[in-house]
Amino acid sequence: MWNKHQVVEHIIGKQREQAKAKGKAFAPSNIALCKYWGKRDAELNLPVTSSLSVSLHHLGTVTEIMRATEKDHIVLNGIELDEHEPFAKRLITFLDLYRPHPEFKFKVNTSNNIPTAAGLASSASGFAAMVLALDDFFAWNLSLQDLSILARMGSGSAARSLMNGFVLWQAGSRSDGMDSFAKSLDIEWPEFRIGVLTLSDLEKSKSSRQAMTETINTSILYKSWPAQVSRDLDRLLTAIQNKDIQLCGETAEQNALSMHATMIASWPPTLYWLAETVSTLNRVWEMRKQGIPVYITMDAGPNVKLIFEKNISTKIQNVFKCEIIAPFASFSNLNFHKRER
Ligand code: 2P0
């Protein structure tokens, strides 16, 4: 079993000299259609199962990295954080893996255009942008596979935030995690839409990391989770290949609700839902009864994301106040492109 330092040593070796004055990168947030819920190794964030996501195009994190003197500086959305704040501590511990020597200090300027900690996976885009910015700063020029492995060690879901469109994170089986990384599915579905409803942007009551651990340790329902994922991944791959919104939406919705069922059945129980979450679910189910093909997914928070196709965008906007993301739109205004390495 490797620790994080051994993985970093294996991937970047001795290439730790500062090559540029500044490194900068954008990474998108992602929403899983088949969820990552549970780890087989907490040190390396190795998952119990594979997962499949779609990246949220321009919604995500921009991170700049420079060299600092004396101490690390972490600036989040324009505000310098105290180094003892949990978020700053988490980033500083991650940066420890990459210092050329212990006295080497970083200035990190990171900005999200999504609500932090509201179940919109900002840790995913945060650690992915951090790894991409480090790659730029130190001029490592790593493959997306290696960058995905490094991002995973910051936050599991970050492994999926290095690429656009549909992304599959293979769980892998090795104890060093070198086969646990994400890959683009390379399938375009231009009509595919995600509607992001922000019902609450309050900090969530329990981290997904803690909720996952409690679920694995105490929820008898979790025993059925790997079988659920295996079935759902097969269905989702077929649905995406065939651009079948009904199969895709029904599978993603059942997968998300099953994940929540496992955590509701844990002890202490985790219920991220608010009254607004439940009323949104009811409204979506009512729309489906009227023949409108809209589906939901949810992460570790109270917010709901809608899954549908472009042709019903107006109907969705008439009912919900939501931001509609077109994951396969072009990227003319962003410095983030599908990269071939
Ligand atoms: C996902 N979530 O697949 C699932 C669904 C939340 C619910 O990945 O402990 O912040 O850093 O590996 O990546 C959120 O968990 O957890 C997550 P860590 P992470 O998107």
PDB file of all heavy atoms in Angstrom, residues 218-235:
ATOM      1  N   THR A 218     -21.662   1.579   8.655  1.00  0.00           N
ATOM      2  CA  THR A 218     -22.874   1.267   9.435  1.00  0.00           C
ATOM      3  C   THR A 218     -24.118   0.953   8.616  1.00  0.00           C
ATOM      4  O   THR A 218     -25.124   0.547   9.189  1.00  0.00           O
ATOM      5  CB  THR A 218     -23.227   2.446  10.385  1.00  0.00           C
ATOM      6  OG1 THR A 218     -23.664   3.553   9.577  1.00  0.00           O
ATOM      7  CG2 THR A 218     -22.054   2.869  11.250  1.00  0.00           C
ATOM      8  N   SER A 219     -24.102   1.180   7.304  1.00  0.00           N
ATOM      9  CA  SER A 219     -25.341   1.012   6.541  1.00  0.00           C
ATOM     10  C   SER A 219     -25.395  -0.369   5.885  1.00  0.00           C
ATOM     11  O   SER A 219     -24.584  -0.672   5.000  1.00  0.00           O
ATOM     12  CB  SER A 219     -25.425   2.103   5.459  1.00  0.00           C
ATOM     13  OG  SER A 219     -26.528   1.872   4.630  1.00  0.00           O
ATOM     14  N   ILE A 220     -26.368  -1.164   6.297  1.00  0.00           N
ATOM     15  CA  ILE A 220     -26.504  -2.506   5.697  1.00  0.00           C
ATOM     16  C   ILE A 220     -26.881  -2.367   4.217  1.00  0.00           C
ATOM     17  O   ILE A 220     -26.494  -3.181   3.385  1.00  0.00           O
ATOM     18  CB  ILE A 220     -27.522  -3.343   6.498  1.00  0.00           C
ATOM     19  CG1 ILE A 220     -26.901  -3.669   7.872  1.00  0.00           C
ATOM     20  CG2 ILE A 220     -27.885  -4.639   5.771  1.00  0.00           C
ATOM     21  CD1 ILE A 220     -27.829  -4.335   8.842  1.00  0.00           C
ATOM     22  N   LEU A 221     -27.597  -1.295   3.888  1.00  0.00           N
ATOM     23  CA  LEU A 221     -27.979  -1.086   2.477  1.00  0.00           C
ATOM     24  C   LEU A 221     -26.756  -0.915   1.576  1.00  0.00           C
ATOM     25  O   LEU A 221     -26.825  -1.158   0.375  1.00  0.00           O
ATOM     26  CB  LEU A 221     -28.865   0.157   2.331  1.00  0.00           C
ATOM     27  CG  LEU A 221     -30.272   0.127   2.911  1.00  0.00           C
ATOM     28  CD1 LEU A 221     -31.070   1.330   2.400  1.00  0.00           C
ATOM     29  CD2 LEU A 221     -30.986  -1.157   2.547  1.00  0.00           C
ATOM     30  N   TYR A 222     -25.621  -0.436   2.143  1.00  0.00           N
ATOM     31  CA  TYR A 222     -24.435  -0.211   1.307  1.00  0.00           C
ATOM     32  C   TYR A 222     -23.968  -1.505   0.631  1.00  0.00           C
ATOM     33  O   TYR A 222     -23.350  -1.457  -0.431  1.00  0.00           O
ATOM     34  CB  TYR A 222     -23.295   0.416   2.129  1.00  0.00           C
ATOM     35  CG  TYR A 222     -22.145   0.849   1.243  1.00  0.00           C
ATOM     36  CD1 TYR A 222     -22.214   2.011   0.478  1.00  0.00           C
ATOM     37  CD2 TYR A 222     -21.007   0.044   1.111  1.00  0.00           C
ATOM     38  CE1 TYR A 222     -21.196   2.374  -0.379  1.00  0.00           C
ATOM     39  CE2 TYR A 222     -19.977   0.403   0.262  1.00  0.00           C
ATOM     40  CZ  TYR A 222     -20.074   1.568  -0.475  1.00  0.00           C
ATOM     41  OH  TYR A 222     -19.057   1.927  -1.337  1.00  0.00           O
ATOM     42  N   LYS A 223     -24.284  -2.664   1.242  1.00  0.00           N
ATOM     43  CA  LYS A 223     -23.842  -3.944   0.653  1.00  0.00           C
ATOM     44  C   LYS A 223     -24.357  -4.106  -0.779  1.00  0.00           C
ATOM     45  O   LYS A 223     -23.753  -4.786  -1.596  1.00  0.00           O
ATOM     46  CB  LYS A 223     -24.329  -5.108   1.513  1.00  0.00           C
ATOM     47  CG  LYS A 223     -23.638  -5.167   2.870  1.00  0.00           C
ATOM     48  CD  LYS A 223     -23.969  -6.451   3.595  1.00  0.00           C
ATOM     49  CE  LYS A 223     -23.392  -6.566   4.993  1.00  0.00           C
ATOM     50  NZ  LYS A 223     -22.764  -5.418   5.582  1.00  0.00           N
ATOM     51  N   SER A 224     -25.504  -3.488  -1.077  1.00  0.00           N
ATOM     52  CA  SER A 224     -26.056  -3.637  -2.428  1.00  0.00           C
ATOM     53  C   SER A 224     -25.515  -2.565  -3.403  1.00  0.00           C
ATOM     54  O   SER A 224     -25.806  -2.623  -4.598  1.00  0.00           O
ATOM     55  CB  SER A 224     -27.585  -3.562  -2.380  1.00  0.00           C
ATOM     56  OG  SER A 224     -27.979  -2.281  -1.925  1.00  0.00           O
ATOM     57  N   TRP A 225     -24.744  -1.610  -2.896  1.00  0.00           N
ATOM     58  CA  TRP A 225     -24.313  -0.491  -3.735  1.00  0.00           C
ATOM     59  C   TRP A 225     -23.446  -0.921  -4.936  1.00  0.00           C
ATOM     60  O   TRP A 225     -23.688  -0.481  -6.073  1.00  0.00           O
ATOM     61  CB  TRP A 225     -23.629   0.572  -2.865  1.00  0.00           C
ATOM     62  CG  TRP A 225     -23.116   1.740  -3.641  1.00  0.00           C
ATOM     63  CD1 TRP A 225     -21.804   2.088  -3.822  1.00  0.00           C
ATOM     64  CD2 TRP A 225     -23.876   2.710  -4.376  1.00  0.00           C
ATOM     65  NE1 TRP A 225     -21.703   3.210  -4.599  1.00  0.00           N
ATOM     66  CE2 TRP A 225     -22.966   3.613  -4.950  1.00  0.00           C
ATOM     67  CE3 TRP A 225     -25.252   2.892  -4.603  1.00  0.00           C
ATOM     68  CZ2 TRP A 225     -23.378   4.684  -5.740  1.00  0.00           C
ATOM     69  CZ3 TRP A 225     -25.658   3.960  -5.376  1.00  0.00           C
ATOM     70  CH2 TRP A 225     -24.721   4.840  -5.936  1.00  0.00           C
ATOM     71  N   PRO A 226     -22.436  -1.791  -4.735  1.00  0.00           N
ATOM     72  CA  PRO A 226     -21.623  -2.178  -5.904  1.00  0.00           C
ATOM     73  C   PRO A 226     -22.465  -2.811  -7.018  1.00  0.00           C
ATOM     74  O   PRO A 226     -22.220  -2.559  -8.212  1.00  0.00           O
ATOM     75  CB  PRO A 226     -20.609  -3.170  -5.323  1.00  0.00           C
ATOM     76  CG  PRO A 226     -20.473  -2.733  -3.882  1.00  0.00           C
ATOM     77  CD  PRO A 226     -21.874  -2.325  -3.474  1.00  0.00           C
ATOM     78  N   ALA A 227     -23.482  -3.600  -6.657  1.00  0.00           N
ATOM     79  CA  ALA A 227     -24.334  -4.224  -7.694  1.00  0.00           C
ATOM     80  C   ALA A 227     -25.158  -3.153  -8.409  1.00  0.00           C
ATOM     81  O   ALA A 227     -25.350  -3.201  -9.634  1.00  0.00           O
ATOM     82  CB  ALA A 227     -25.246  -5.263  -7.051  1.00  0.00           C
ATOM     83  N   GLN A 228     -25.637  -2.170  -7.641  1.00  0.00           N
ATOM     84  CA  GLN A 228     -26.396  -1.060  -8.240  1.00  0.00           C
ATOM     85  C   GLN A 228     -25.537  -0.325  -9.270  1.00  0.00           C
ATOM     86  O   GLN A 228     -25.964  -0.032 -10.387  1.00  0.00           O
ATOM     87  CB  GLN A 228     -26.792  -0.086  -7.101  1.00  0.00           C
ATOM     88  CG  GLN A 228     -27.500   1.160  -7.564  1.00  0.00           C
ATOM     89  CD  GLN A 228     -29.004   0.978  -7.603  1.00  0.00           C
ATOM     90  OE1 GLN A 228     -29.552   0.320  -6.732  1.00  0.00           O
ATOM     91  NE2 GLN A 228     -29.648   1.534  -8.607  1.00  0.00           N
ATOM     92  N   VAL A 229     -24.286  -0.037  -8.886  1.00  0.00           N
ATOM     93  CA  VAL A 229     -23.378   0.714  -9.772  1.00  0.00           C
ATOM     94  C   VAL A 229     -23.085  -0.088 -11.027  1.00  0.00           C
ATOM     95  O   VAL A 229     -23.090   0.454 -12.142  1.00  0.00           O
ATOM     96  CB  VAL A 229     -22.070   1.070  -9.030  1.00  0.00           C
ATOM     97  CG1 VAL A 229     -21.005   1.565  -9.999  1.00  0.00           C
ATOM     98  CG2 VAL A 229     -22.344   2.123  -7.958  1.00  0.00           C
ATOM     99  N   SER A 230     -22.850  -1.373 -10.851  1.00  0.00           N
ATOM    100  CA  SER A 230     -22.501  -2.203 -11.993  1.00  0.00           C
ATOM    101  C   SER A 230     -23.645  -2.185 -13.028  1.00  0.00           C
ATOM    102  O   SER A 230     -23.425  -1.975 -14.229  1.00  0.00           O
ATOM    103  CB  SER A 230     -22.206  -3.599 -11.451  1.00  0.00           C
ATOM    104  OG  SER A 230     -22.179  -4.495 -12.453  1.00  0.00           O
ATOM    105  N   ARG A 231     -24.875  -2.342 -12.554  1.00  0.00           N
ATOM    106  CA  ARG A 231     -26.027  -2.307 -13.459  1.00  0.00           C
ATOM    107  C   ARG A 231     -26.190  -0.915 -14.089  1.00  0.00           C
ATOM    108  O   ARG A 231     -26.383  -0.759 -15.288  1.00  0.00           O
ATOM    109  CB  ARG A 231     -27.292  -2.672 -12.678  1.00  0.00           C
ATOM    110  CG  ARG A 231     -28.508  -2.860 -13.545  1.00  0.00           C
ATOM    111  CD  ARG A 231     -29.801  -2.762 -12.781  1.00  0.00           C
ATOM    112  NE  ARG A 231     -30.058  -1.386 -12.345  1.00  0.00           N
ATOM    113  CZ  ARG A 231     -31.206  -0.973 -11.822  1.00  0.00           C
ATOM    114  NH1 ARG A 231     -32.176  -1.830 -11.635  1.00  0.00           N
ATOM    115  NH2 ARG A 231     -31.373   0.282 -11.455  1.00  0.00           N
ATOM    116  N   ASP A 232     -26.058   0.128 -13.239  1.00  0.00           N
ATOM    117  CA  ASP A 232     -26.303   1.488 -13.729  1.00  0.00           C
ATOM    118  C   ASP A 232     -25.242   1.937 -14.732  1.00  0.00           C
ATOM    119  O   ASP A 232     -25.550   2.641 -15.701  1.00  0.00           O
ATOM    120  CB  ASP A 232     -26.382   2.470 -12.550  1.00  0.00           C
ATOM    121  CG  ASP A 232     -27.630   2.232 -11.704  1.00  0.00           C
ATOM    122  OD1 ASP A 232     -28.513   1.478 -12.162  1.00  0.00           O
ATOM    123  OD2 ASP A 232     -27.710   2.785 -10.589  1.00  0.00           O
ATOM    124  N   LEU A 233     -23.986   1.533 -14.497  1.00  0.00           N
ATOM    125  CA  LEU A 233     -22.934   1.933 -15.454  1.00  0.00           C
ATOM    126  C   LEU A 233     -23.200   1.335 -16.830  1.00  0.00           C
ATOM    127  O   LEU A 233     -23.078   2.017 -17.849  1.00  0.00           O
ATOM    128  CB  LEU A 233     -21.563   1.478 -14.957  1.00  0.00           C
ATOM    129  CG  LEU A 233     -20.820   2.430 -14.021  1.00  0.00           C
ATOM    130  CD1 LEU A 233     -19.486   1.811 -13.630  1.00  0.00           C
ATOM    131  CD2 LEU A 233     -20.612   3.801 -14.644  1.00  0.00           C
ATOM    132  N   ASP A 234     -23.591   0.068 -16.852  1.00  0.00           N
ATOM    133  CA  ASP A 234     -23.911  -0.583 -18.139  1.00  0.00           C
ATOM    134  C   ASP A 234     -25.030   0.165 -18.847  1.00  0.00           C
ATOM    135  O   ASP A 234     -24.955   0.470 -20.036  1.00  0.00           O
ATOM    136  CB  ASP A 234     -24.400  -2.027 -17.916  1.00  0.00           C
ATOM    137  CG  ASP A 234     -23.250  -2.978 -17.688  1.00  0.00           C
ATOM    138  OD1 ASP A 234     -22.088  -2.541 -17.846  1.00  0.00           O
ATOM    139  OD2 ASP A 234     -23.516  -4.141 -17.333  1.00  0.00           O
ATOM    140  N   ARG A 235     -26.090   0.475 -18.081  1.00  0.00           N
ATOM    141  CA  ARG A 235     -27.235   1.175 -18.685  1.00  0.00           C
ATOM    142  C   ARG A 235     -26.838   2.569 -19.174  1.00  0.00           C
ATOM    143  O   ARG A 235     -27.284   3.002 -20.235  1.00  0.00           O
ATOM    144  CB  ARG A 235     -28.356   1.315 -17.655  1.00  0.00           C
ATOM    145  CG  ARG A 235     -29.045   0.010 -17.381  1.00  0.00           C
ATOM    146  CD  ARG A 235     -30.254   0.248 -16.488  1.00  0.00           C
ATOM    147  NE  ARG A 235     -30.926  -1.020 -16.232  1.00  0.00           N
ATOM    148  CZ  ARG A 235     -31.954  -1.157 -15.428  1.00  0.00           C
ATOM    149  NH1 ARG A 235     -32.442  -0.114 -14.783  1.00  0.00           N
ATOM    150  NH2 ARG A 235     -32.521  -2.322 -15.252  1.00  0.00           N
TER     151      ARG A 235
END
